[in-house]
Amino acid sequence: MADVVVVLNAGSSSLKFSVFAQDAEGDKPICRGQAEALTTAPRFVAKDATGNVLDERSWGEGVPLGHAGALDHLVAFLQRRLAGHRLVAVGHRVVHGGTEYRRPIHIDAEVVATLQKYIPLAPLHQPHNLAPIRALLEQAPELPQVACFDTAFHRAAPTVSQMFALPKSITDRGVLRYGFHGLSYEYIASVLPQYDAQAAAGRTVVLHLGNGSSMCAMAGGRSIASTMGFTAVDGLPMGTRCGSLDPGVILYLIDQLKMDTRAVEKLICQQSGLLGVSGISSDMRTLLASEAAGAKAAVDLFAYRIQRELGSLAAALGGLDAIVFTAGIGENSAVLRERVCRGAAWLGLQLDDLANAGGGPRISAPGSKVAAWVIPTNEELMIARHTRRLLGAVTGDHAATPGATTGASMARSTAS
Ligand code: AMP
């Protein structure tokens, strides 16, 4: 009977999952999938490790399934799929761990109450992250659950890089630059030695460029600065988020345009970034394929802001040995990578065009002072590893975890 860990990543309108089984070499994905468009036209798909569809279902337009319905469907699927396996734990991606959590944590009711406090700091993500945790705590209390935070990797960054120039009384309330995408950066830090031992021990900027985008300066594999701040709206322009903004703009929106808090939130989180600038799409593929002036302006601004932030993070590191591209745009767009690398020529980065067109992994020319890499991220694997490690630490032997349960018994208790 193989031990498996289920990883859940609950977003605003989706519930993504991965199942990892352990063999002698570590965690191996055995299936993954998602329920998406949960409030509009819900769809569920699950695939095995080679991409074969195991299960698929659509509920049709206007049938809101919600997160609870999606979890029920997923549990029923896992009950069938994991019969014969032993589910030892569920690991969750949780966006905000605040000042309390510097590393993953075994979840209980007290932890949930603490994480609830951070909903105002991540209103678009945190409530959805917590929903399946609460549901499983209630319905399968014996099942160990672990929360892994996007903020944790940055908590050891120097104090100066975490501070805003605000009065101490406000800083003391936890108004800090937290940084996000930490699970992605931590994964890259864990595999970078296999690609470039010198960069792993030295100064690297990782560019996580996806629908959400940020950059992280790492010294010896540890975060020392990042482009995101108190919330995941700061830093680079993103699919629909504006990135860094003069706080005076917010005051102008409120005072002069008479926008209330929710309207400002919607504007800066859902209507800005690539979508807002282009007026066309938040999707980089669509913009790169478009001839429209708005699309060009959005891509230009995205590349320009990356270039500026790269200079800033290289300064924070006191020099640069390597950059790493990851996430949807970073892993797949040779055009964007080329623009970023050309803009970094002054730092000593020379692009290998052929290697870049081929997707790397090394895309810098031989002899380039700064190396450039394309490395696929794997936040789910990072969560699975943390979950197993933590369970091992809690129980001494995760196979003997008192809460260990079969897929069938998890489903029985969650379906009740
Ligand atoms: P992620 O959030 O990491 O899934 O990344 C999503 C983003 O990656 C979207 O903006 C996609 O348009 C973008 N993306 C995926 N594939 C490509 C590609 N081949 N070229 C450009 N952008 C891409």
Side-chain angles (χ1 to χ4, degrees), residues 138-327:
E138 201 179 302
Q139 297 164 19
E142 79 286 1
L143 177 66
Q145 298 191 69
V146 170
C148 301
F149 304 101
D150 271 314
T151 47
F153 186 63
H154 304 291
R155 298 307 302 134
T159 305
V160 70
S161 85
Q162 296 192 42
M163 285 175 67
F164 293 111
L166 287 167
K168 188 169 180 306
S169 58
I170 304 291
T171 303
D172 288 348
R173 293 179 67 93
V175 181
L176 297 166
R177 298 182 60 89
Y178 287 97
F180 297 86
H181 290 136
L183 293 159
S184 174
Y185 294 127
E186 192 179 7
Y187 175 77
I188 298 295
S190 77
V191 295
L192 190 56
Q194 295 160 27
Y195 293 84
D196 187 336
Q198 195 186 334
R203 302 157 300 182
T204 302
V205 171
V206 182
L207 299 88
H208 178 110
L209 307 177
N211 193 33
S213 292
S214 71
M215 295 162 64
C216 175
M218 296 192 321
R222 292 172 191 274
S223 169
I224 63 137
S226 107
T227 57
M228 280 181 167
F230 183 54
T231 70
V233 190
D234 200 10
L236 299 175
M238 302 172 223
T240 59
R241 286 170 257 172
C242 61
S244 299
L245 194 66
D246 174 353
V249 174
I250 305 282
L251 301 179
Y252 175 85
L253 297 174
I254 295 168
D255 283 345
Q256 304 302 317
L257 303 190
K258 307 295 175 206
M259 292 172 77
D260 65 15
T261 319
R262 295 285 77 80
V264 172
E265 180 185 55
K266 193 167 177 196
L267 180 82
I268 64 175
C269 293
Q270 294 169 31
Q271 299 173 329
S272 297
L274 298 176
L275 174 66
V277 174
S278 69
I280 297 170
S281 174
S282 63
D283 193 305
M284 184 55 84
R285 274 168 301 203
T286 308
L287 298 180
L288 289 172
S290 169
E291 303 270 297
K296 182 176 178 316
V299 175
D300 285 351
L301 182 54
F302 187 63
Y304 171 79
R305 290 296 321 171
I306 292 170
Q307 199 172 328
R308 295 254 319 245
E309 295 290 352
L310 185 56
S312 166
L313 294 174
L317 285 164
L320 191 62
D321 297 308
I323 66 172
V324 176
F325 291 94
T326 196

Side-chain angles (χ1 to χ4, degrees), residues 12-47:
S12 54
S13 65
S14 68
L15 177 64
K16 295 184 184 148
F17 74 96
S18 307
V19 182
F20 291 87
Q22 201 171 40
D23 66 15
E25 288 162 30
D27 283 295
K28 292 276 146 54
I30 56 171
C31 80
R32 62 187 307 160
Q34 61 181 330
E36 58 183 8
L38 297 181
T39 51
T40 50
R43 288 183 303 276
F44 177 86
V45 65
K47 297 180 178 174

